[in-house]
Amino acid sequence: MAKYVLVHGAWGGGQTYGEVPGRLEAKGHEVLVATLTGLGTRQDELHPGITLSDHVDTVVQQIEQAGFERFILAGHSYGGMVITAVASRLGKRIDAICYIDAFLPESDQSLWDITGEFEHNWYIDTQRHKPGFVDPIGAIDFSVVPGVVGYHPLLTLLEAIPYSGDEQAIAKKSYIFATGYQPTPFTRFAEKAKAEGWDYHETATDHFVMQNDPDLTVKVLLGLAG
């Protein structure tokens, strides 16, 4: 039996994993769907001072509370930033890591460092009248959906976390790349994973791979437990 830790992306919450957690549990595995401070079901905790380190601390605390000594770690979208930092901190306890259409930073790179002009303008412009709170990227006339999707704290997109070296202890690494939408900021991360010989998969869905191709998502995650 494997233990899985699933980290969601920006603006939304753990519900973005859809039926994936239940299907992993149906196979006899334990699943922790981490909840990031200020997002999803924790919107009432949102404040402009939340950092990437805060989100990393939150995931690590939930792992400890769940009693997971060894586990498989997965992250979607912005969750790639979070799991990269978790891997740097707990890499010696992680059996495998999976990036699901996710950002894959180098050491000491922030999300700002690995995104372009469009994203930078969006991050800054949409928080002008609510400092520190960024709208979902590309959403026009956005309204918060309580407990589901809301604003994202700006500082999490600006903080960089250096690698410790412990992330190198992870034996299995996987990347799932969604090819069904443009423009996508994830092409170069997918290419990097492929070039480095990671377990690599593509799916012709939009960004929400877990909801729109749960079969592939579950297959890849189960494969990392083998």
Side-chain angles (χ1 to χ4, degrees), residues 169-189:
I170 302 172
K172 298 179 182 179
K173 299 179 179 180
S174 183
Y175 198 100
I176 303 175
F177 179 48
T179 63
Y181 70 103
Q182 290 293 335
T184 170
F186 301 106
T187 303
R188 65 189 177 103
F189 308 115

Side-chain angles (χ1 to χ4, degrees), residues 8 12-15 34-36 38-45 146-149:
H8 61 81
Q15 78 280 351
T35 55
L36 301 180
L39 306 180
T41 57
R42 300 180 66 177
Q43 282 178 6
D44 60 338
E45 300 173 34
V148 179
V149 61

Side-chain angles (χ1 to χ4, degrees), residues 60 63-64 67-72 89-96 166 169-170:
V60 170
I63 291 168
E64 301 306 338
F68 286 10
E69 183 56 36
R70 301 203 62 83
F71 54 94
I72 294 166
R89 194 180 300 186
L90 301 180
K92 294 178 181 178
R93 293 167 52 186
I94 299 172
D95 293 317
D166 284 359
I170 302 172

Side-chain angles (χ1 to χ4, degrees), residues 114-167:
I114 58 176
T115 50
E117 183 179 6
F118 172 77
E119 290 90 349
H120 294 173
N121 289 339
W122 188 271
Y123 299 158
I124 299 305
D125 291 347
T126 65
Q127 58 93 56
R128 287 180 60 191
H129 299 118
K130 48 180 181 352
F133 298 140
V134 179
D135 289 8
I137 200 150
I140 306 301
D141 297 325
F142 172 70
S143 296
V144 171
V145 180
V148 179
V149 61
Y151 302 120
H152 191 88
L154 175 66
L155 291 181
T156 66
L157 312 177
L158 306 180
E159 183 184 5
I161 299 179
Y163 288 3
S164 71
D166 284 359
E167 71 285 341

Side-chain angles (χ1 to χ4, degrees), residues 25 28 33 38 43 48 57 75 80 99 116 130 181 184-185 191 197 204 213 218:
E25 290 171 339
V33 181
Q43 282 178 6
D57 290 343
Y99 289 76
K130 48 180 181 352
Y181 70 103
T184 170
E191 291 175 347
D213 197 347
V218 170

